[in-house]
Amino acid sequence: MEEREIMSFRDEEGNKVDFEPIARIFLEETEYLILSPIDGNEEDAFVFRVDYVEDKQELNLVEDEKEFDRVKKEYKNLLYNEK
């Protein structure tokens, strides 16, 4: 059985929330991660932009609707165009 990767973050109240990465998307020169909460609805997913600050990886939630839609469109393209 394959072990799944778990990523943990703290929410606004300081509670630990576990996520499972479901996709890594590259648009132009920007990397994005789509993460699904382990304890949430299977259809919930969050898009994070991978930024590098002083050579350290930082994940930032994508809140801009246009940026989110571009990532979502690319994810759908990858899902339905894979052979």
Side-chain angles (χ1 to χ4, degrees), residues 12-25:
E12 295 85 20
E13 290 94 38
N15 301 311
K16 181 181 167 191
V17 182
D18 293 328
F19 290 88
E20 179 176 21
I22 57 173
R24 184 177 304 270
I25 306 287

Side-chain angles (χ1 to χ4, degrees), residues 28-42:
E28 298 165 6
E29 293 189 20
T30 306
E31 179 180 358
Y32 297 91
L33 282 176
I34 300 176
L35 305 177
S36 178
I38 300 291
D39 295 332
N41 182 337
E42 288 183 16

Side-chain angles (χ1 to χ4, degrees), residues 4 17 23 26 28-29 32 41 45-46 51 57-58 60-62 65 68-69 77:
R4 62 186 188 176
V17 182
F26 292 90
E28 298 165 6
E29 293 189 20
Y32 297 91
N41 182 337
F46 298 89
D51 294 322
Q57 183 175 319
E58 185 177 280
N60 292 295
L61 183 64
V62 173
E65 190 174 333
F68 180 87
D69 288 342
N77 284 340

Side-chain angles (χ1 to χ4, degrees), residues 44-55:
D44 286 343
F46 298 89
V47 176
F48 291 86
R49 185 180 52 255
V50 180
D51 294 322
Y52 291 90
V53 178
E54 297 179 6
D55 295 328

